[in-house]
Structures are given as C-alpha cells and as structure tokens.
C-alpha cells in the first residue's frame, strides 16, 4: 500500500516537472543572471537567496535527474536543420519522455520565441550545452 502511494507521488512529481521544463530551466537561468547582477549591491542577501534555491534543488535529486534526462532526450529530438546529415540519420532511441518532447518544444517557443535567423529551435538547449539555454 505504501509502495503504491510513493509510486503515485513520484509519478505526479515527474508529470509536474515534464509539464514545466521551461519554467525550471529558463527561470533558473534568469535567477542566476539576477544574482550575478545583485552581488555588488547586496552580496550577502544574494548569496542567501542563491543558497536557498540551490539547497532546495539539491534536496530533490529526482527532479535534477529528470531535468538532465529530458535535456538529453530533447537535444537528440530537435532537428537543427531539416536538410542536415543529422536529420537523415537514424532517429534517436525511444525515451520515456518522447511524448512530451513536442509539448516542451512548443512551451519553449512560448517562453522564448525564435529571433530572426535562429532562436531556440535553431540549436540545442540545456545548461550543459554551449549556448546555455536550458
């Protein structure tokens, strides 16, 4: 009985994270940028706020793992250029997140519409990618 409750809670948490990937990723990037800008004005307050947020994330390794897994799946999912060699290659192996990837892509467009000549959908996303998007 208790196993069913914890599995249900884990499933609910996973669904929440999957439906809010851009929130976690884009808002975190903006928060970090804000913290960097606030250091000269209020270093101690900025450090306290930063520590509070990062400590909360550190206590949720499952959320961090989901975000990392979704980032990897999304970066394999997105087609950089429809006529590129990557587009002609074999599709990536299936992941548990595949049904959410188009939804995440549309959310990302809502959060950060493409600029002329590129934008989010023209490249990879993620905290670990070269353009620091996710």
């Amino acid at each position: 009985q208790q196993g069913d409750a914890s599995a249900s809670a884990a499933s609910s948490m996973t669904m929440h994270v999957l439906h809010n990937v851009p929130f976690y990723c884009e808002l975190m990037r903006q928060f970090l940028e804000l913290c960097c800008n606030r250091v000269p004005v209020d270093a101690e307050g900025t450090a306290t706020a930063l520590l509070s947020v990062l400590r909360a994330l550190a206590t949720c390794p499952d959320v961090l793992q989901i975000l990392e897994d979704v980032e990897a799946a999304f970066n394999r999912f997105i087609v950089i250029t429809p006529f590129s060699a990557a587009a002609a290659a074999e599709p990536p192996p299936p992941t548990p997140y595949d049904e959410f990837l188009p939804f995440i892509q549309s959310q990302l467009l809502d959060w950060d519409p493409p600029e002329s000549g590129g934008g989010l959908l023209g490249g990879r996303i993620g905290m670990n990618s070269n353009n620091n998007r996710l």
Side-chain angles (χ1 to χ4, degrees):
Q1 189 73 322
Q2 188 175 5
D4 291 341
S6 62
S8 176
S11 177
S12 294
M13 186 246 335
T14 300
M15 288 293 129
H16 167 78
V17 172
L18 290 173
H19 281 94
N20 295 285
V21 166
F23 170 81
Y24 282 100
C25 300
E26 185 67 19
L27 198 59
M28 178 56 75
R29 181 182 63 82
Q30 291 177 14
F31 174 72
L32 292 173
E33 288 174 1
L34 174 68
C35 286
C36 290
N37 292 333
R38 283 193 51 200
V39 168
V41 177
D42 180 15
E44 187 175 338
T46 302
T48 301
L50 188 57
L51 183 61
S52 175
V53 169
L54 294 178
R55 187 177 288 148
L57 276 174
T59 63
C60 301
D62 292 343
V63 169
L64 295 174
Q65 187 63 54
I66 291 168
L67 290 171
E68 186 177 310
D69 293 347
V70 168
E71 175 186 337
F74 187 83
N75 286 336
R76 285 189 304 269
F77 162 78
I78 193 163
V79 176
I80 296 170
T81 306
F83 302 107
S84 72
E90 288 290 318
T95 71
Y97 311 109
D98 287 351
E99 69 183 83
F100 288 94
L101 299 178
F103 174 70
I104 291 168
Q105 187 174 30
S106 70
Q107 280 187 320
L108 288 169
L109 279 172
D110 289 343
W111 275 76
D112 190 13
E115 303 160 5
S116 61
L120 248 180
L121 300 182
R124 296 186 176 287
I125 62 168
M127 293 178 74
N128 297 325
S129 67
N130 290 334
N131 62 0
N132 297 321
R133 293 304 306 166
L134 187 67

Short mmCIF file of all heavy atoms in Angstrom, two decimals, residues 23-45:
data_model
loop_
_atom_site.label_atom_id
_atom_site.label_comp_id
_atom_site.label_asym_id
_atom_site.label_seq_id
_atom_site.Cartn_x
_atom_site.Cartn_y
_atom_site.Cartn_z
N PHE A 23 9.95 26.32 -17.36
CA PHE A 23 9.92 27.09 -16.11
C PHE A 23 11.16 26.80 -15.29
O PHE A 23 11.86 27.72 -14.86
CB PHE A 23 8.66 26.74 -15.29
CG PHE A 23 8.68 27.31 -13.91
CD1 PHE A 23 8.33 28.63 -13.69
CD2 PHE A 23 9.06 26.52 -12.84
CE1 PHE A 23 8.35 29.16 -12.41
CE2 PHE A 23 9.08 27.04 -11.55
CZ PHE A 23 8.72 28.37 -11.34
N TYR A 24 11.46 25.53 -15.09
CA TYR A 24 12.64 25.17 -14.31
C TYR A 24 13.91 25.68 -14.96
O TYR A 24 14.81 26.18 -14.30
CB TYR A 24 12.76 23.64 -14.16
CG TYR A 24 11.84 23.07 -13.12
CD1 TYR A 24 10.64 22.46 -13.48
CD2 TYR A 24 12.17 23.11 -11.78
CE1 TYR A 24 9.79 21.93 -12.52
CE2 TYR A 24 11.33 22.58 -10.82
CZ TYR A 24 10.14 21.99 -11.20
OH TYR A 24 9.31 21.48 -10.26
N CYS A 25 13.99 25.56 -16.25
CA CYS A 25 15.24 25.87 -16.94
C CYS A 25 15.41 27.35 -17.25
O CYS A 25 16.43 27.94 -16.93
CB CYS A 25 15.30 25.04 -18.22
SG CYS A 25 15.23 23.28 -17.86
N GLU A 26 14.42 27.96 -17.85
CA GLU A 26 14.54 29.37 -18.22
C GLU A 26 14.52 30.26 -16.98
O GLU A 26 15.30 31.20 -16.86
CB GLU A 26 13.41 29.76 -19.18
CG GLU A 26 13.52 31.16 -19.72
CD GLU A 26 14.72 31.38 -20.63
OE1 GLU A 26 15.28 30.40 -21.15
OE2 GLU A 26 15.09 32.55 -20.81
N LEU A 27 13.64 29.97 -16.04
CA LEU A 27 13.57 30.79 -14.84
C LEU A 27 14.84 30.65 -14.00
O LEU A 27 15.32 31.64 -13.44
CB LEU A 27 12.34 30.41 -14.01
CG LEU A 27 11.91 31.43 -12.98
CD1 LEU A 27 11.58 32.76 -13.63
CD2 LEU A 27 10.72 30.93 -12.20
N MET A 28 15.42 29.48 -13.96
CA MET A 28 16.67 29.30 -13.22
C MET A 28 17.78 30.13 -13.86
O MET A 28 18.56 30.78 -13.16
CB MET A 28 17.07 27.82 -13.18
CG MET A 28 18.38 27.58 -12.46
SD MET A 28 18.45 28.20 -10.77
CE MET A 28 17.47 26.99 -9.93
N ARG A 29 17.85 30.15 -15.17
CA ARG A 29 18.87 30.94 -15.85
C ARG A 29 18.68 32.42 -15.52
O ARG A 29 19.64 33.12 -15.19
CB ARG A 29 18.80 30.72 -17.36
CG ARG A 29 19.85 31.51 -18.15
CD ARG A 29 19.73 31.31 -19.65
NE ARG A 29 18.49 31.76 -20.21
CZ ARG A 29 18.24 33.05 -20.53
NH1 ARG A 29 19.15 33.96 -20.34
NH2 ARG A 29 17.09 33.39 -21.05
N GLN A 30 17.43 32.89 -15.56
CA GLN A 30 17.17 34.29 -15.24
C GLN A 30 17.49 34.60 -13.78
O GLN A 30 18.01 35.68 -13.47
CB GLN A 30 15.72 34.63 -15.57
CG GLN A 30 15.44 34.63 -17.05
CD GLN A 30 13.99 34.89 -17.38
OE1 GLN A 30 13.21 35.33 -16.54
NE2 GLN A 30 13.61 34.61 -18.61
N PHE A 31 17.19 33.67 -12.89
CA PHE A 31 17.50 33.87 -11.47
C PHE A 31 19.02 33.98 -11.26
O PHE A 31 19.49 34.85 -10.53
CB PHE A 31 16.92 32.70 -10.65
CG PHE A 31 17.32 32.73 -9.21
CD1 PHE A 31 16.78 33.67 -8.34
CD2 PHE A 31 18.23 31.82 -8.71
CE1 PHE A 31 17.16 33.70 -7.01
CE2 PHE A 31 18.62 31.84 -7.38
CZ PHE A 31 18.06 32.78 -6.53
N LEU A 32 19.77 33.12 -11.92
CA LEU A 32 21.23 33.17 -11.80
C LEU A 32 21.79 34.48 -12.35
O LEU A 32 22.70 35.08 -11.76
CB LEU A 32 21.87 31.97 -12.49
CG LEU A 32 21.60 30.62 -11.84
CD1 LEU A 32 22.13 29.49 -12.71
CD2 LEU A 32 22.17 30.54 -10.44
N GLU A 33 21.24 34.94 -13.47
CA GLU A 33 21.67 36.22 -14.03
C GLU A 33 21.36 37.37 -13.06
O GLU A 33 22.18 38.26 -12.85
CB GLU A 33 21.00 36.47 -15.37
CG GLU A 33 21.53 35.62 -16.49
CD GLU A 33 20.75 35.77 -17.80
OE1 GLU A 33 19.78 36.57 -17.85
OE2 GLU A 33 21.11 35.08 -18.76
N LEU A 34 20.18 37.33 -12.46
CA LEU A 34 19.80 38.35 -11.48
C LEU A 34 20.76 38.33 -10.29
O LEU A 34 21.21 39.39 -9.84
CB LEU A 34 18.36 38.12 -11.00
CG LEU A 34 17.89 39.04 -9.87
CD1 LEU A 34 17.76 40.47 -10.36
CD2 LEU A 34 16.58 38.54 -9.30
N CYS A 35 21.09 37.14 -9.82
CA CYS A 35 22.02 37.02 -8.69
C CYS A 35 23.38 37.62 -9.04
O CYS A 35 23.97 38.34 -8.23
CB CYS A 35 22.17 35.57 -8.26
SG CYS A 35 20.73 34.95 -7.36
N CYS A 36 23.86 37.34 -10.22
CA CYS A 36 25.16 37.90 -10.64
C CYS A 36 25.12 39.42 -10.64
O CYS A 36 26.07 40.08 -10.21
CB CYS A 36 25.54 37.39 -12.03
SG CYS A 36 25.98 35.65 -12.05
N ASN A 37 24.01 39.99 -11.08
CA ASN A 37 23.89 41.44 -11.13
C ASN A 37 23.72 42.07 -9.74
O ASN A 37 24.08 43.22 -9.54
CB ASN A 37 22.71 41.85 -12.02
CG ASN A 37 22.95 41.53 -13.47
OD1 ASN A 37 24.09 41.46 -13.92
ND2 ASN A 37 21.88 41.30 -14.21
N ARG A 38 23.18 41.30 -8.80
CA ARG A 38 22.92 41.83 -7.46
C ARG A 38 24.11 41.74 -6.53
O ARG A 38 24.14 42.40 -5.49
CB ARG A 38 21.75 41.08 -6.82
CG ARG A 38 20.41 41.49 -7.35
CD ARG A 38 19.29 40.97 -6.51
NE ARG A 38 19.51 41.31 -5.10
CZ ARG A 38 18.93 40.69 -4.09
NH1 ARG A 38 18.09 39.71 -4.33
NH2 ARG A 38 19.17 41.03 -2.85
N VAL A 39 25.10 40.94 -6.85
CA VAL A 39 26.24 40.75 -5.94
C VAL A 39 26.88 42.07 -5.52
O VAL A 39 27.11 42.28 -4.33
CB VAL A 39 27.28 39.78 -6.55
CG1 VAL A 39 28.58 39.79 -5.77
CG2 VAL A 39 26.71 38.37 -6.59
N PRO A 40 27.16 43.00 -6.44
CA PRO A 40 27.79 44.26 -5.99
C PRO A 40 26.89 45.09 -5.05
O PRO A 40 27.38 45.84 -4.22
CB PRO A 40 28.03 45.04 -7.29
CG PRO A 40 27.97 44.03 -8.38
CD PRO A 40 27.06 42.94 -7.89
N VAL A 41 25.59 44.95 -5.17
CA VAL A 41 24.65 45.73 -4.38
C VAL A 41 24.39 45.09 -3.01
O VAL A 41 24.37 45.77 -1.99
CB VAL A 41 23.32 45.90 -5.14
CG1 VAL A 41 22.29 46.66 -4.32
CG2 VAL A 41 23.56 46.57 -6.47
N ASP A 42 24.19 43.77 -3.00
CA ASP A 42 23.85 43.06 -1.77
C ASP A 42 24.40 41.64 -1.84
O ASP A 42 23.66 40.69 -2.07
CB ASP A 42 22.33 43.05 -1.58
CG ASP A 42 21.88 42.34 -0.31
OD1 ASP A 42 22.72 42.09 0.58
OD2 ASP A 42 20.67 42.02 -0.21
N ALA A 43 25.68 41.51 -1.61
CA ALA A 43 26.34 40.21 -1.74
C ALA A 43 25.77 39.19 -0.76
O ALA A 43 25.50 38.04 -1.14
CB ALA A 43 27.85 40.35 -1.54
N GLU A 44 25.58 39.57 0.48
CA GLU A 44 25.09 38.61 1.48
C GLU A 44 23.66 38.17 1.18
O GLU A 44 23.33 36.99 1.23
CB GLU A 44 25.17 39.23 2.88
CG GLU A 44 24.84 38.22 3.96
CD GLU A 44 25.05 38.79 5.36
OE1 GLU A 44 25.81 39.76 5.53
OE2 GLU A 44 24.43 38.23 6.29
N GLY A 45 22.80 39.13 0.85
CA GLY A 45 21.41 38.79 0.52
C GLY A 45 21.33 37.92 -0.72
O GLY A 45 20.53 36.99 -0.81
#
